[in-house]
Amino acid sequence: MTLVASGRADVVVAFALERMGQAITSQKVFNTIFDPIYEKDFALTTITMAALRASLLMTRYGYTERHWAALAARNHQNALKNPLAHLHRDLTVEAVLESPLLAWPIHLYEACPMSEGACALVIAAGERLSRTGRPVAWIHGAASYSDSYAMGDRFDRPEGTLVDLVTLRKAVDVAYRQAGIADPAEEIDVVEIHAPFSSAEVMAYPPLGLCSPEAGPAYVDALVGGDGAGPSVNPSGGPMAANPVSATAMIRIAECALQVRGMAGGRQVEGARRAVATGQGGATQFSSACVLAADPPGDR
Amino acid sequence: MTDPALTEPGLVTVDGAWNFRYRYFAGETASRFFAELRDNRRIVGRRCPGCRRVLVPARSWCDRCFVATTDWVPVGTEGVIETFTVLTAAFPGLPEPPLAIAYVTLDGAGTAVLNFVEGLDLSDLDASAARLLDRPPVEVVFHDDRQGRMTDFHFRLRA
């Protein structure tokens, strides 16, 4: 994006590829992302890392095991309409709750699968492609931020706790400002959240402006009940149904692009004009946000 | 945990294994932290001159203030659980489940330290989880045979 925005390139192809399906001991591999001096002995993996956040969200905001299962079932239902998803499982809340427990409170069907996959984006200067008449997705805003590495250092600090996604809040604030979005719940039609677990999804709601942290459980209730106001959340099914890790964040942008171009097939959100994609990395250490729209900037 | 959808019948797979030995440099600050743990049964942190937090486990640098920490501060051996999980499924290369881990902020510390929580009845997971969700007070239990590692101690719930 910066290559094009700065004028150094007219057209850029960006791609991402993941081959982790070949790793049989992936959780042992993921263990190596954590502090080898102080933390590697304590079974930290991407799953326990998410579980530590899920239980903190339960203590702090009153989420229940049922909230996690209901979101997972909802995402898997959405993925049934997405031919590009890895898993097509017609799951109920009960089936999720009955699946084996991996790390309390996370069940097997609340965890993303090990996926292989790839994604490519063609990013072009606006004046290049707007002549072709084909629908394009206009990038209205994008930003990325990084946080401290150590999870234990992020409980007691004014910037925000381990479940506040400080970096996503900063990234979204910048992207919304660039896009001129003041009331995201009204102005955004689709959000695609980089959330391999239910707990990761709800952590993104407040930074995206969908609800306050305290209102999160009620927001989930409305969302899974089908009477949620505001944008459509993860119409693709999200990473719980397909998580080729290195490509997952780019896929969120691609899904948003398909939505605002009206090319999302069976998962198309009617009348989608503006969408926001999030990307996450590390132990909630890195976040990015990207706002895309059907109309070029300045045409609103 | 390999998903069957990724390996179609009839297509060849070739087994492989990586086993790299590694030696991590703990550095001066963590080495002193481990020596205090092993020799003096003490948990020590480093104070940040900027935010005044005592960083535990000890760190030479505060990456919130971007300054070097200055002095050593012993912290208490009692604290409170910030968050926890109970690993219940076996994964290759990881310790055998079930086991409980928690981040605990020790008295006087400004950050939390990760370790096992022992002494819970993990056969009754719901009851144990409900108890841990209430952020109960815990205490450090030092092991007799200490090697100067994080595994020289664990947490247990205070009576």
Side-chain angles (χ1 to χ4, degrees):
Chain A
M1 280 178 213
T2 49
L3 282 173
V4 174
S6 65
R8 289 180 65 200
D10 287 331
V11 181
V12 170
V13 176
F15 76 94
L17 170 70
E18 178 60 60
R19 303 302 314 272
M20 75 175 283
Q22 298 178 92
I24 294 165
T25 55
S26 64
Q27 288 300 313
K28 177 63 178 168
V29 177
F30 281 132
N31 176 254
T32 64
I33 75 172
F34 299 98
D35 183 341
I37 310 298
Y38 287 137
E39 296 189 333
K40 78 172 169 57
D41 297 304
F42 306 118
L44 277 186
T45 66
T46 47
I47 296 168
T48 49
M49 170 190 101
L52 287 162
R53 285 161 177 74
S55 55
L56 183 57
L57 287 159
M58 293 166 84
T59 298
R60 205 163 274 230
Y61 300 123
Y63 287 101
T64 64
E65 285 181 87
R66 201 164 180 86
H67 284 116
W68 307 142
L71 275 180
R74 177 185 181 276
N75 279 313
H76 281 285
Q77 290 296 324
N78 283 356
L80 294 175
K81 296 180 214 155
N82 178 5
L84 298 176
H86 170 189
L87 300 181
H88 293 101
R89 284 183 176 142
D90 186 3
L91 288 176
T92 61
V93 180
E94 280 66 32
V96 174
L97 283 171
E98 284 163 17
S99 67
L101 197 58
L102 299 179
W104 196 93
I106 295 179
H107 297 81
L108 177 64
Y109 290 160
E110 294 158 10
C112 64
M114 278 170 53
S115 308
E116 302 226 311
C119 181
L121 301 176
V122 178
I123 302 166
E127 54 277 17
R128 284 262 162 202
L129 280 188
S130 54
R131 290 194 299 268
T132 66
R134 296 169 62 195
V136 300
W138 294 87
I139 298 168
H140 283 235
S144 299
Y145 280 84
S146 298
D147 200 352
S148 294
Y149 173 61
M151 292 194 281
D153 291 6
R154 289 188 261 157
F155 288 100
D156 179 24
R157 59 172 190 175
E159 291 86 353
T161 71
L162 196 58
V163 291
D164 285 332
L165 279 192
V166 174
T167 52
L168 186 62
R169 189 173 71 223
K170 287 173 182 276
V172 166
D173 285 351
V174 171
Y176 281 178
R177 197 160 62 240
Q178 290 171 345
I181 290 169
D183 185 359
E186 287 296 319
E187 295 177 64
I188 300 274
D189 302 307
V190 176
V191 301
E192 276 286 339
I193 301 172
H194 187 164
F197 300 91
S198 303
S199 54
E201 182 174 323
V202 306
M203 282 160 59
Y205 298 157
L208 286 167
L210 303 182
C211 64
S212 69
E214 293 74 18
Y219 182 86
V220 171
D221 289 339
L223 198 64
V224 301
D227 52 358
S232 173
V233 177
N234 283 1
S236 71
M240 260 183 260
N243 191 19
V245 175
S246 307
T248 299
M250 191 184 282
I251 289 169
R252 307 277 71 73
I253 296 175
E255 284 290 336
C256 286
L258 289 173
Q259 288 288 347
V260 299
R261 296 168 78 196
M263 298 170 71
R267 61 194 183 284
Q268 179 68 46
V269 174
E270 192 69 28
R273 305 292 294 172
R274 208 169 292 117
V276 58
T278 76
Q280 291 297 143
T284 54
Q285 193 185 358
F286 318 110
S287 299
S288 60
C290 183
V291 176
L292 299 104
D295 300 311
D299 275 17
R300 297 177 57 199
Chain B
M1 302 296 289
T2 302
D3 196 282
L6 291 174
T7 51
E8 290 172 31
L11 296 183
V12 173
T13 58
V14 177
D15 278 353
W18 287 13
N19 182 16
F20 299 131
R21 291 197 59 201
Y22 218 83
R23 152 178 81 164
Y24 295 103
F25 300 140
E28 287 177 14
T29 304
S31 295
R32 168 98 179 255
F33 174 89
F34 288 136
E36 290 279 355
L37 189 55
R38 180 189 61 219
D39 301 337
N40 302 322
R41 292 174 174 251
R42 284 207 304 183
I43 294 187
V44 293
R46 293 274 292 177
R47 189 183 299 282
C48 169
C51 61
R52 307 300 295 168
R53 288 190 303 175
V54 176
L55 306 181
V56 178
R59 302 187 194 284
S60 60
W61 186 261
C62 177
D63 60 9
R64 181 164 163 242
C65 304
F66 302 110
V67 294
T69 55
T70 47
D71 36 281
W72 289 94
V73 183
V75 297
T77 54
E78 296 179 354
V80 64
I81 286 183
E82 298 284 357
T83 190
F84 74 97
T85 184
V86 182
L87 184 69
T88 49
F91 292 95
L94 293 182
E96 277 298 303
L99 49 88
I101 57 173
Y103 274 101
V104 168
T105 300
L106 294 168
D107 294 344
T111 60
V113 56
L114 180 69
N115 213 310
F116 295 118
V117 183
E118 295 184 6
L120 291 156
D121 177 12
L122 295 179
S123 65
D124 189 348
L125 204 51
D126 287 339
S128 292
R131 207 165 161 207
L132 293 168
L133 275 177
D134 283 338
R135 303 184 69 212
V138 295
E139 60 192 356
V140 170
V141 178
F142 293 104
H143 303 170
D144 289 336
D145 179 25
R146 293 185 302 285
Q147 308 292 319
R149 295 284 183 277
M150 288 308 276
T151 45
D152 284 352
F153 71 98
H154 65 261
F155 298 119
R156 75 171 167 220
L157 300 196
R158 284 173 63 196

